[in-house]
Amino acid sequence: MTAPFTPPGRRWDDLSGPSLVAATSERSIAVVPIGAVEHHGPHLPLRTDALIAEAVATAAVERVAAQGVDAWLLPTIAYAKSDEHHWAPGTLWIEGTTLLDELIEIGRSISMTPVRTVAFVNGHGGNVMLLGWVNRELRRRFGLRSFSMPAGVGGAGDGVDGRPDELGQGIHAGFGETSIVMHLAPHLVAPDLPPRNVPERIAAMTHIGFNRKPVMFGWTSDDFGPTGVIGDATGANAAAGRDLFDRGVGFVSEALVEIDGFEFG
């Protein structure tokens, strides 16, 4: 019988079914980038979140594989829970319950292989709470070890070294995301950046707001103005984007190493 052919690289979908079974084990980690296809102002591509999640996850998988972690990169999930941008032409979004079902079915499929661990690398804030739900479902239903993490470590401008001060509220199409896309795909960034659009009244509140403030609220991006931007892209640059990207790859790589050695108890 001919042995299964395993091509070089760490892409799950480059393998045949038999070669996947031969190449993986219960120590393997299925790494799933997840982003969105949604409005990112007039200056960034719709696939910004998917682009960043895939680029970070790809680099992290390559890095940890070289360190002996048996990580495999799955295809990026691009259509996600982006209803906060439902008003903007070009946004391709699905209901949260639809995405939940999809991710559970992907987990079910992974559980039919030797792989017992899945790690979602997320580039879109609208997916965060749902991924927490998914982690529990995949553990309860299929016995998988399931983890989720952001694709970056935060990039709101802090007003230092020429960066704009986004008052901790730069969450969408502002300094961080624009800088990273300038680094990864500068040809996709429009030359004219939108004006600053930081919700300063919310930033002044103690409890209500974004980025770890404890009181959440319902919103859609057009609540903050017609551009859909929540932040300040005017100081964005590729050098800052390279630094943010490298920090994201470092963070995800370290997380995957911890996941590789994770045990309950």
Side-chain angles (χ1 to χ4, degrees):
M1 180 177 178
T2 303
F5 168 64
T6 302
R10 308 297 300 181
R11 289 188 60 95
W12 177 285
D13 52 344
D14 280 347
L15 300 170
S16 69
S19 62
L20 175 69
V21 171
T24 58
S25 73
E26 64 179 14
R27 290 296 306 277
S28 302
I29 304 172
V31 179
V32 186
I34 179 169
V37 177
E38 64 181 26
H39 180 66
H40 270 79
H43 61 302
L44 291 180
L46 295 164
R47 66 183 178 101
T48 290
D49 292 346
L51 169 69
I52 293 172
E54 182 171 315
V56 168
T58 300
V61 165
E62 291 173 354
R63 180 177 297 184
V64 301
Q67 299 171 5
V69 176
D70 190 30
W72 294 88
L73 183 73
L74 273 69
T76 300
I77 300 170
Y79 307 137
K81 186 182 180 298
S82 296
D83 50 334
E84 66 268 41
H85 308 290
H86 72 282
W87 58 274
T91 299
L92 303 176
W93 64 281
I94 58 179
E95 294 283 357
T97 50
T98 304
L99 180 59
L100 176 67
D101 289 342
E102 178 186 7
L103 296 178
I104 288 172
E105 294 304 326
I106 289 172
R108 186 196 307 275
S109 300
I110 292 170
S111 74
M112 299 298 292
T113 75
V115 180
R116 310 312 304 160
T117 303
V118 57
F120 296 97
V121 177
N122 178 39
H124 170 54
N127 297 331
V128 172
M129 288 188 288
L130 187 140
L131 285 169
W133 189 356
V134 168
N135 287 335
R136 181 70 54 80
E137 290 293 311
L138 297 188
R139 182 64 186 164
R140 179 177 62 83
R141 296 192 190 199
F142 313 120
L144 295 174
R145 302 189 312 167
S146 183
F147 304 84
S148 57
M149 70 194 80
V153 291
D158 56 9
V160 177
D161 295 333
R163 295 184 291 271
D165 188 353
E166 295 180 303
L167 306 176
Q169 307 301 297
I171 66 163
H172 188 69
F175 173 77
E177 284 187 317
T178 303
S179 294
I180 294 175
V181 180
M182 283 179 168
H183 166 60
L184 293 175
H187 61 290
L188 298 180
V189 182
D192 296 324
L193 299 179
R196 174 183 177 87
N197 190 46
V198 174
E200 297 193 7
R201 285 183 295 180
I202 294 176
M205 294 181 176
T206 301
H207 302 298
I208 302 173
F210 301 114
N211 289 333
R212 301 183 182 89
K213 284 190 176 179
V215 179
M216 297 182 291
F217 60 100
W219 58 274
T220 61
S221 57
D222 58 339
D223 287 332
F224 302 96
T227 67
V229 174
I230 308 172
D232 187 350
T234 56
N237 62 88
R242 180 175 61 251
D243 179 63
L244 289 169
F245 176 75
D246 289 345
R247 286 167 54 194
V249 173
F251 159 71
V252 173
S253 299
E254 291 174 4
L256 290 174
V257 170
E258 288 193 356
I259 288 169
D260 182 50
F262 180 83
E263 298 290 344
F264 291 99

